[in-house]
Amino acid sequence: MPKENCLIVVAAGRQLDLLRGEASRIARGAKADWWIDRAEVGTRFCFEDAKAKESFALTCDSFGIPCKDG
């Protein structure tokens, strides 16, 4: 699967559950698909839509959860 619209997030437990819910909400709003992969360090959240990825990055920032392109 292509990884151009992916972010790597380092989170666990409730934070990861929160981010899954937000990713689902964002993707549904963008009418795009999303998926999660394991990364070397953290979890990779991938979106079909670049705008959904950017919105998810802003969400991570608002929760104080670091993320990076991946």
Side-chain angles (χ1 to χ4, degrees), residues 3-30:
K3 299 205 179 351
E4 62 269 1
N5 293 322
C6 297
L7 291 169
I8 296 176
V9 177
V10 179
R14 290 179 188 246
Q15 278 188 329
L16 192 56
D17 290 341
L18 174 69
L19 291 177
R20 282 188 193 114
E22 289 298 311
S24 178
R25 181 186 63 77
I26 290 166
R28 188 173 42 247

Side-chain angles (χ1 to χ4, degrees), residues 16-70:
L16 192 56
D17 290 341
L18 174 69
L19 291 177
R20 282 188 193 114
E22 289 298 311
S24 178
R25 181 186 63 77
I26 290 166
R28 188 173 42 247
K31 295 181 173 43
D33 198 15
W34 71 284
W35 61 95
I36 295 176
D37 289 328
R38 284 190 143 312
E40 244 179 76
V41 176
T43 304
R44 182 178 289 118
F45 285 78
C46 298
F47 299 87
E48 285 184 342
D49 182 66
K51 288 182 182 179
K53 173 194 164 191
E54 293 305 317
S55 182
F56 185 71
L58 291 173
T59 299
C60 290
D61 288 344
S62 72
F63 290 132
I65 301 171
C67 63
K68 63 179 183 178
D69 283 337

